[in-house]
Amino acid sequence: MRKNYQFPLTRYFQLMRMSIIVLVFVMSLLLVPAQAQSTKNAPVAIDGRLVFRVSNTERLSAPERANFISSQLQAIVKSQEAPDIKIERRNESPIIFINGRYLLTVTQTDTVAASNPEEQAGMWAEDIRNAIQKAQNERSTQFIRNTSILSVVIVLMAVGINRVLGILWQLTQYRVSQLLVSADSSGDNQIQNTSRLLFKATLLLARIALWVGVALYITNLFPVTRQWSYNIASSIIASLTSPIFSLGQKAYSLTDILILVVLLFGLIIFTGTTTNLLRSRILGRMRISRGAQEAIAIIFKYALISFGTVVLLQIWGLDLSSLTIVASALGVGIGFGFQDIAKNFGSGLVLLFERPIQVGDFIEVGEYMGTVEYIGARSVVIRTLDRVSIIVPNSRFLETEVINWSHRNPVSRIHLPVGVAYTSDVNLVKSALIEAAIGHPEVLKLPQPQVFFLGFGDSAINFELLVWIDKPHQQAPIMSDIYFLIEASFRKHNIEIPFPQRDLNMRTVDLPIKLSSELEQALLRLTQGMNGKGRSHETESRRGNP
């Protein structure tokens, strides 16, 4: 019942990631026409509050007209004069005067919400009057005092909400982590790491959105700060939308580059999610090996990234033919500076298509022995018997000899050398070794275990037990278990395991000096006694009594 609840949870994270990618893509596409329209008109603002927008004329551009009108209106607000707005028609165009000074001429291109310039001039005159009165009221002492109190209350509430967000995110993350740990029996922490990263990213975004919203709201309450925030926002927008370089026939701004980077990043996330779905939902249900599944998934991933990159660049309006020089320079750079990376990447393609090693194989390359966990474009991850991940470059698998214990057939033979005493019955030793091998559950019945007589050693008769197993990654524990069984079988059949022996022979020599008769007799007795003990010890050793 728990698995039925956890499966939608993991799929919920995947759907959330897909939704974010689609939302970013749609917002990026919608931002392009907004940038195109921003160059046709400019806003007229009082204290950072938009009043209306003006367009280009034959003599002045839209930003120049907007700056002149905004400065005139701002001067009237600071002077605390009552606005006296009049509309006069000159040269077949309505002209707006304020307090006897010229403000602007309404043209046909300025008509947005009206059918003709006269109606548009009347609407703008009313908007100007209301905006000036509101801006003058906001400069009163009572308004500033009430707004300051409200700002302090908002900041305190934001601090509390910030702490509550952290507690809620922490509790939710802990609960979800517990569910994922109980659901993930394979030991793969990819879903858990993804969920943890997702929670941290969403918490950071939520807190940033909270404080940005609070800052914008408070600065919009005061007329002075509203003007500053409006100027800063206008400068940022202008810097983001201004072209910084040209490629081919099109100029690109910083916003275009950022949006393109976001789209490419979204493509990578989309590709990773799609590859995981392919691996778990489709390839996991097919009756193919794990190595073949990983090979198909990796080829699909890189093919989708390459195709998606080309499609995104063409949709965004980038002429790929203009990248010929860049591609040539990149080729030269790869030839000189990135030759190792290119060599490993080419070796990775050979490993994927030729498949000398696959994910799940137990291999031995150089001094490393372990199970292949991942085959990437640049390296292979091997998990050793000590549960340590070793990252080996792909080119090494093509340059050196690699022992693959699982290649095509995981059945392999292991060798166990054994030595017994010279007094042992060799046929009984063979039976005892076969009995010990058959007693282990991991030893295969076919091929049958074998015992080889290797020869006579210095202190023992040497045998070798050969058994077959189908789990090469468990060689060490299986060999240890079989040695325990051999020792128990030898004890059962009274078969002795010898230890190395050395004989020490001593002989008397004529001394060059003349000794006394008493000293000579003592040395002879001592020599005879040591020789007798040596022969006695040798006899006992041959009888098996150490």
Side-chain angles (χ1 to χ4, degrees), residues 202-230:
T202 52
L203 176 60
L204 180 62
L205 291 177
R207 285 178 169 174
I208 291 176
L210 171 65
W211 289 108
V212 169
V214 170
L216 292 178
Y217 184 80
I218 293 177
T219 53
N220 283 327
L221 293 177
F222 299 91
V224 176
T225 56
R226 188 189 305 123
Q227 182 65 33
W228 292 347
S229 63
Y230 177 79

Short mmCIF file of all heavy atoms in Angstrom, two decimals, residues 202-230:
data_model
loop_
_atom_site.label_atom_id
_atom_site.label_comp_id
_atom_site.label_asym_id
_atom_site.label_seq_id
_atom_site.Cartn_x
_atom_site.Cartn_y
_atom_site.Cartn_z
N THR A 202 13.38 25.80 -4.52
CA THR A 202 12.07 26.43 -4.34
C THR A 202 12.04 27.30 -3.08
O THR A 202 11.42 28.37 -3.08
CB THR A 202 10.98 25.36 -4.26
OG1 THR A 202 11.34 24.38 -3.26
CG2 THR A 202 10.81 24.66 -5.60
N LEU A 203 12.73 26.86 -2.01
CA LEU A 203 12.78 27.69 -0.80
C LEU A 203 13.53 28.99 -1.07
O LEU A 203 13.11 30.08 -0.65
CB LEU A 203 13.44 26.92 0.34
CG LEU A 203 13.65 27.69 1.66
CD1 LEU A 203 12.32 28.15 2.21
CD2 LEU A 203 14.39 26.82 2.67
N LEU A 204 14.65 28.89 -1.79
CA LEU A 204 15.40 30.09 -2.12
C LEU A 204 14.59 31.03 -3.00
O LEU A 204 14.55 32.25 -2.77
CB LEU A 204 16.71 29.71 -2.82
CG LEU A 204 17.61 30.87 -3.24
CD1 LEU A 204 18.07 31.66 -2.03
CD2 LEU A 204 18.81 30.35 -4.03
N LEU A 205 13.91 30.48 -4.00
CA LEU A 205 13.08 31.30 -4.87
C LEU A 205 11.92 31.93 -4.10
O LEU A 205 11.56 33.10 -4.34
CB LEU A 205 12.55 30.46 -6.03
CG LEU A 205 13.59 30.00 -7.06
CD1 LEU A 205 12.92 29.11 -8.10
CD2 LEU A 205 14.25 31.19 -7.73
N ALA A 206 11.32 31.18 -3.18
CA ALA A 206 10.21 31.72 -2.40
C ALA A 206 10.67 32.88 -1.51
O ALA A 206 9.99 33.91 -1.41
CB ALA A 206 9.58 30.62 -1.56
N ARG A 207 11.84 32.73 -0.89
CA ARG A 207 12.33 33.81 -0.04
C ARG A 207 12.76 35.02 -0.86
O ARG A 207 12.51 36.17 -0.44
CB ARG A 207 13.52 33.29 0.79
CG ARG A 207 13.08 32.37 1.93
CD ARG A 207 14.26 31.84 2.71
NE ARG A 207 13.82 31.19 3.94
CZ ARG A 207 14.63 30.53 4.77
NH1 ARG A 207 15.92 30.45 4.48
NH2 ARG A 207 14.15 29.96 5.86
N ILE A 208 13.39 34.79 -2.00
CA ILE A 208 13.75 35.91 -2.86
C ILE A 208 12.50 36.64 -3.34
O ILE A 208 12.43 37.88 -3.34
CB ILE A 208 14.59 35.42 -4.05
CG1 ILE A 208 15.96 34.95 -3.57
CG2 ILE A 208 14.76 36.52 -5.09
CD1 ILE A 208 16.82 34.35 -4.66
N ALA A 209 11.49 35.88 -3.77
CA ALA A 209 10.25 36.51 -4.21
C ALA A 209 9.58 37.28 -3.08
O ALA A 209 9.02 38.37 -3.30
CB ALA A 209 9.30 35.43 -4.75
N LEU A 210 9.66 36.76 -1.85
CA LEU A 210 9.06 37.45 -0.71
C LEU A 210 9.72 38.80 -0.48
O LEU A 210 9.03 39.84 -0.40
CB LEU A 210 9.19 36.57 0.54
CG LEU A 210 8.80 37.23 1.87
CD1 LEU A 210 7.32 37.57 1.88
CD2 LEU A 210 9.17 36.33 3.04
N TRP A 211 11.05 38.84 -0.39
CA TRP A 211 11.73 40.08 -0.07
C TRP A 211 11.73 41.04 -1.25
O TRP A 211 11.69 42.28 -1.05
CB TRP A 211 13.15 39.80 0.40
CG TRP A 211 13.17 39.18 1.76
CD1 TRP A 211 13.46 37.89 2.08
CD2 TRP A 211 12.85 39.83 2.99
NE1 TRP A 211 13.35 37.69 3.43
CE2 TRP A 211 12.99 38.87 4.02
CE3 TRP A 211 12.47 41.13 3.33
CZ2 TRP A 211 12.75 39.17 5.35
CZ3 TRP A 211 12.23 41.43 4.66
CH2 TRP A 211 12.37 40.46 5.65
N VAL A 212 11.80 40.53 -2.46
CA VAL A 212 11.68 41.43 -3.61
C VAL A 212 10.30 42.07 -3.65
O VAL A 212 10.16 43.28 -3.91
CB VAL A 212 11.97 40.65 -4.91
CG1 VAL A 212 11.60 41.49 -6.13
CG2 VAL A 212 13.45 40.28 -4.98
N GLY A 213 9.28 41.27 -3.38
CA GLY A 213 7.93 41.84 -3.34
C GLY A 213 7.76 42.88 -2.25
O GLY A 213 7.14 43.92 -2.45
N VAL A 214 8.34 42.59 -1.06
CA VAL A 214 8.26 43.56 0.04
C VAL A 214 9.00 44.84 -0.31
O VAL A 214 8.51 45.96 -0.07
CB VAL A 214 8.83 42.93 1.33
CG1 VAL A 214 9.00 43.97 2.42
CG2 VAL A 214 7.92 41.81 1.81
N ALA A 215 10.21 44.71 -0.90
CA ALA A 215 10.98 45.89 -1.26
C ALA A 215 10.26 46.74 -2.31
O ALA A 215 10.20 47.98 -2.21
CB ALA A 215 12.36 45.48 -1.77
N LEU A 216 9.70 46.07 -3.31
CA LEU A 216 8.98 46.81 -4.34
C LEU A 216 7.73 47.48 -3.78
O LEU A 216 7.40 48.62 -4.15
CB LEU A 216 8.60 45.86 -5.49
CG LEU A 216 9.76 45.32 -6.32
CD1 LEU A 216 9.25 44.35 -7.37
CD2 LEU A 216 10.53 46.46 -6.98
N TYR A 217 7.04 46.79 -2.89
CA TYR A 217 5.82 47.37 -2.33
C TYR A 217 6.13 48.58 -1.47
O TYR A 217 5.44 49.62 -1.55
CB TYR A 217 5.09 46.30 -1.51
CG TYR A 217 3.76 46.78 -0.97
CD1 TYR A 217 2.63 46.81 -1.79
CD2 TYR A 217 3.63 47.21 0.34
CE1 TYR A 217 1.41 47.25 -1.30
CE2 TYR A 217 2.42 47.64 0.84
CZ TYR A 217 1.32 47.66 0.01
OH TYR A 217 0.11 48.11 0.49
N ILE A 218 7.19 48.47 -0.63
CA ILE A 218 7.52 49.59 0.26
C ILE A 218 8.05 50.78 -0.54
O ILE A 218 7.70 51.95 -0.26
CB ILE A 218 8.54 49.14 1.32
CG1 ILE A 218 7.89 48.12 2.26
CG2 ILE A 218 9.08 50.32 2.11
CD1 ILE A 218 8.83 47.56 3.30
N THR A 219 8.91 50.52 -1.53
CA THR A 219 9.43 51.64 -2.32
C THR A 219 8.34 52.31 -3.14
O THR A 219 8.44 53.52 -3.43
CB THR A 219 10.54 51.14 -3.26
OG1 THR A 219 10.06 50.03 -4.03
CG2 THR A 219 11.76 50.72 -2.47
N ASN A 220 7.32 51.59 -3.50
CA ASN A 220 6.20 52.20 -4.23
C ASN A 220 5.27 53.00 -3.34
O ASN A 220 4.44 53.77 -3.84
CB ASN A 220 5.39 51.12 -4.97
CG ASN A 220 6.08 50.64 -6.22
OD1 ASN A 220 6.75 51.41 -6.90
ND2 ASN A 220 5.94 49.36 -6.53
N LEU A 221 5.40 52.84 -2.00
CA LEU A 221 4.57 53.62 -1.10
C LEU A 221 5.05 55.07 -1.00
O LEU A 221 4.23 55.98 -0.83
CB LEU A 221 4.58 52.98 0.30
CG LEU A 221 3.90 51.61 0.42
CD1 LEU A 221 4.04 51.08 1.84
CD2 LEU A 221 2.42 51.69 0.03
N PHE A 222 6.36 55.29 -1.10
CA PHE A 222 6.92 56.62 -0.97
C PHE A 222 7.23 57.19 -2.35
O PHE A 222 7.79 56.48 -3.20
CB PHE A 222 8.21 56.58 -0.13
CG PHE A 222 7.99 56.09 1.27
CD1 PHE A 222 8.12 54.73 1.57
CD2 PHE A 222 7.65 56.96 2.29
CE1 PHE A 222 7.92 54.27 2.86
CE2 PHE A 222 7.46 56.51 3.58
CZ PHE A 222 7.59 55.16 3.87
N PRO A 223 6.92 58.45 -2.58
CA PRO A 223 7.14 59.02 -3.92
C PRO A 223 8.62 59.12 -4.28
O PRO A 223 8.98 58.92 -5.43
CB PRO A 223 6.47 60.40 -3.83
CG PRO A 223 6.41 60.72 -2.38
CD PRO A 223 6.23 59.40 -1.68
N VAL A 224 9.47 59.45 -3.31
CA VAL A 224 10.89 59.60 -3.63
C VAL A 224 11.52 58.26 -3.99
O VAL A 224 12.20 58.11 -5.01
CB VAL A 224 11.64 60.26 -2.45
CG1 VAL A 224 13.13 60.34 -2.75
CG2 VAL A 224 11.07 61.64 -2.17
N THR A 225 11.31 57.27 -3.17
CA THR A 225 11.87 55.94 -3.46
C THR A 225 11.22 55.31 -4.68
O THR A 225 11.85 54.50 -5.37
CB THR A 225 11.69 55.02 -2.24
OG1 THR A 225 10.28 54.99 -1.89
CG2 THR A 225 12.48 55.54 -1.05
N ARG A 226 9.98 55.66 -4.93
CA ARG A 226 9.33 55.14 -6.12
C ARG A 226 10.01 55.65 -7.38
O ARG A 226 10.19 54.90 -8.35
CB ARG A 226 7.86 55.53 -6.14
CG ARG A 226 7.08 54.85 -7.25
CD ARG A 226 5.67 55.41 -7.39
NE ARG A 226 4.96 55.34 -6.13
CZ ARG A 226 4.42 56.39 -5.53
NH1 ARG A 226 4.55 57.60 -6.07
NH2 ARG A 226 3.77 56.26 -4.40
N GLN A 227 10.44 56.89 -7.34
CA GLN A 227 11.14 57.44 -8.49
C GLN A 227 12.51 56.77 -8.66
O GLN A 227 12.92 56.46 -9.78
CB GLN A 227 11.32 58.96 -8.30
CG GLN A 227 12.01 59.65 -9.46
CD GLN A 227 11.19 59.61 -10.73
OE1 GLN A 227 9.95 59.65 -10.68
NE2 GLN A 227 11.86 59.53 -11.88
N TRP A 228 13.20 56.53 -7.53
CA TRP A 228 14.50 55.85 -7.62
C TRP A 228 14.34 54.43 -8.17
O TRP A 228 15.09 54.02 -9.05
CB TRP A 228 15.14 55.79 -6.23
CG TRP A 228 15.55 57.13 -5.71
CD1 TRP A 228 15.64 58.29 -6.41
CD2 TRP A 228 15.92 57.44 -4.36
NE1 TRP A 228 16.04 59.32 -5.60
CE2 TRP A 228 16.23 58.83 -4.33
CE3 TRP A 228 16.03 56.70 -3.18
CZ2 TRP A 228 16.63 59.46 -3.16
CZ3 TRP A 228 16.43 57.33 -2.03
CH2 TRP A 228 16.73 58.71 -2.01
N SER A 229 13.38 53.71 -7.62
CA SER A 229 13.19 52.34 -8.09
C SER A 229 12.78 52.32 -9.56
O SER A 229 13.20 51.44 -10.32
CB SER A 229 12.13 51.63 -7.24
OG SER A 229 10.87 52.29 -7.38
N TYR A 230 11.99 53.31 -9.96
CA TYR A 230 11.58 53.37 -11.36
C TYR A 230 12.79 53.65 -12.26
O TYR A 230 12.95 53.02 -13.32
CB TYR A 230 10.51 54.45 -11.54
CG TYR A 230 10.09 54.65 -12.97
CD1 TYR A 230 9.20 53.77 -13.57
CD2 TYR A 230 10.59 55.72 -13.72
CE1 TYR A 230 8.81 53.95 -14.89
CE2 TYR A 230 10.21 55.90 -15.04
CZ TYR A 230 9.31 55.02 -15.62
OH TYR A 230 8.94 55.18 -16.93
#
